[in-house]
Every structure is written in C-alpha cells, then in structure tokens.
Amino acid sequence: MTTDLFETAAHEAIRRWKGLEGQLAMEVRDRDRIDEDFLRRWLGAWMLARSNPRPLRVALAASLHDARRRVQEAANGELGNLIGRLAKEMFDQDVTKGRQTSLVSKFAFSLRPEEIAIYDKHGRYALAEEVGQRIKEHDYVAYLKAFYRFAQTCGRILDETALTERLRPRWQPVMTERLFKLRTADKLLMLRGGFPIHLMQ
C-alpha cells in the first residue's frame, strides 16, 4: 500500500470522526433511550435502512436499547463473542431480517470505538487477503483478531512515514492516537475492499 493511500485513509478517518461517525457515537452513548426516531437517523447514516424495514424498527430500537447496556458493561475480552451473540439473538427474535453482524458491530462501535471493529463483507474479504486467513461469514471473533493484526501493521506504518505526527494537529483535537490509527486501518480496508478512492479524496 502506498503512502498516498495511507494519507487518504487517515484524512478520511479524521473527517468522519469529526463529523457524522463521532457525532452519532456521542449520541448513542448519551441519549436516554434508543428510540425509533434516532434509529431511523442512525440506520440512514450507516446505510442500513434498506435492510431494516420500518415494521421492524420499534422492536429493533428496543433491542438495541437493551444491547447498549450489555456492550457497555462487557469486558474487552468478551466483546467479540457478544457481538455475534447479539446478532443471533436479534435474528432469532425476528427483530432483524437475517443475521446482521454488521449492524450490531456498528452499534457496538459507536459505544466502544477503541475496542470494536466495524464488520462488513467487503472488509472481511479485504482483511482475509491482508492477513492471509479466510474468515467465515459472521465469525466476528476471528474478524476482530485479524483486524487488530492489520491495524497494528497500519499503525506502525503511520509512525514510520511520519503521518501520525504530521497529522497530529488534525486528529488530536477530536480523537485519541489509538482511535486515529484504528479508524485509519478501517478506511484502508474499505479502499482495499473496492471503495472508490475518489470518494475519500
């Protein structure tokens, strides 16, 4: 991966956290209740509205409200299993159409952005190529472990190319160094998975 690709991903990580990603994460943590109105906005921002139709949203909002406490209280080592368990529970309870590991990971990420990696099929394919390991669909534990291996490499490259320090004035006011590196790794996975680079530039 080129330095230009890392720089594009790093700028996108900062921009998105300063914007909608960070704003929604703050609201997920701070609001009294996850209700249908908030869920509608949150699904739209994460491009999950089509896969979560309106008739299911009251029940889904209630389920996510209950899940919030479980995610917040879980120990770091329990989070990987919890994401998969919550996705299965919501499907079994007819709250979602299909097993939506992506939705649950994005919701949990909003609550624990320095411990949770966002899961989707494009990221899974790209990550499997990067770490040389096949990751089964919905195996979030394996996905999370592989993501942190990838993120560790990305963080080292960010330091070696001096991007961490050069971009410090931009990321430091809005995020920690750990979050900056994790979000940059996520944006790199998007690009490796086929996301058009011009949409990040």
Side-chain angles (χ1 to χ4, degrees):
M1 287 183 281
T2 65
T3 302
D4 285 348
L5 203 64
F6 270 83
E7 184 151 9
T8 297
H11 280 286
E12 178 73 354
I14 298 165
R15 185 181 70 82
R16 293 285 293 175
W17 190 254
K18 190 175 181 180
L20 203 52
E21 277 185 14
Q23 292 164 13
L24 284 172
M26 186 180 297
E27 193 169 354
V28 166
R29 293 192 298 268
D30 292 347
R31 64 184 294 112
D32 291 336
R33 185 155 200 86
I34 305 299
D35 56 23
E36 187 180 5
D37 179 63
F38 172 75
L39 179 61
R40 175 185 54 79
R41 292 188 289 110
W42 186 86
L43 290 172
W46 284 108
M47 294 181 287
L48 294 166
R50 290 183 64 187
S51 54
N52 292 277
R54 290 180 183 177
L56 295 178
R57 290 184 188 173
V58 171
L60 178 56
S63 186
L64 288 173
H65 180 77
D66 291 339
R68 179 170 66 171
R69 175 187 54 79
R70 293 169 66 183
V71 172
Q72 288 171 321
E73 293 177 357
N76 285 356
E78 298 171 355
L79 284 169
N81 283 315
L82 179 60
I83 301 307
R85 194 158 63 246
L86 287 170
K88 185 176 185 305
E89 286 175 11
M90 290 178 189
F91 175 52
D92 289 345
Q93 295 164 4
D94 296 322
V95 172
T96 59
K97 291 176 65 178
R99 191 168 167 184
Q100 295 202 31
T101 305
S102 177
L103 179 147
V104 176
S105 74
K106 287 169 179 171
F107 185 77
F109 160 79
S110 296
L111 294 164
R112 307 272 295 266
E114 294 195 12
E115 285 93 32
I116 293 291
I118 291 172
Y119 171 97
D120 62 39
K121 66 179 181 180
H122 300 295
R124 181 166 60 90
Y125 295 145
L127 192 54
E129 284 192 17
E130 292 296 331
V131 301
Q133 170 192 336
R134 181 176 175 270
I135 301 169
K136 294 180 183 177
E137 189 175 7
H138 302 299
D139 187 349
Y140 185 77
V141 172
Y143 184 91
L144 190 61
K145 287 179 181 176
F147 175 81
Y148 278 117
R149 284 172 57 196
F150 175 70
Q152 188 174 27
T153 300
C154 290
R156 187 178 67 249
I157 294 171
L158 285 168
D159 290 344
E160 290 172 353
T161 57
L163 276 170
T164 302
E165 285 306 311
R166 185 154 60 80
L167 296 179
R168 184 178 292 275
R170 291 202 60 219
W171 61 256
Q172 195 165 47
V174 294
M175 62 207 308
T176 65
E177 183 173 331
R178 174 177 170 83
L179 185 57
F180 163 67
K181 290 177 176 177
L182 291 174
R183 298 312 298 138
T184 299
D186 179 76
K187 303 308 178 189
L188 280 166
L189 275 184
M190 289 175 64
L191 292 171
R192 297 289 283 173
F195 189 85
I197 190 170
H198 71 272
L199 295 179
M200 286 193 189
Q201 290 173 326

